[in-house]
Amino acid sequence: VCHIPLRGLPGHSDGMKLDGYAYYSGFGAKAWMPKLVEAKVQAIVSGHMHQARLDPAVDGLPAQVVLGGPQIE
């Protein structure tokens, strides 16, 4: 579980530079994704985006559930 997603969508800013909105944490992904993959973690749960989405597992990376915002559904 982490606040800022560890994976973004194509075209998203990775948050590793000072300009633009941090759609996902490139720093967090760099630090944690290898360990999560090695531990065979199947899903990451995060918020930050104020919209719900499900990113399926791809290229050996775990699935990611992104939540946030006032609508629970």
Side-chain angles (χ1 to χ4, degrees):
V1 175
C2 56
H3 177 77
I4 300 177
L6 296 182
R7 294 174 40 206
L9 298 175
H12 276 181
S13 168
D14 63 11
M16 293 182 74
K17 45 195 166 305
L18 294 177
D19 59 322
Y21 180 75
Y23 286 103
Y24 73 100
S25 177
F27 291 111
K30 192 174 184 181
W32 287 102
M33 197 63 80
K35 305 275 187 211
L36 298 173
V37 170
E38 181 182 327
K40 298 184 179 20
V41 167
Q42 295 182 15
I44 300 164
V45 177
S46 65
H48 187 69
M49 297 304 297
H50 302 269
Q51 291 181 327
R53 75 172 200 253
L54 171 61
D55 302 337
V58 294
D59 299 327
L61 300 176
Q64 179 172 254
V65 178
V66 180
L67 302 169
Q71 288 79 29
I72 193 76
E73 60 278 344

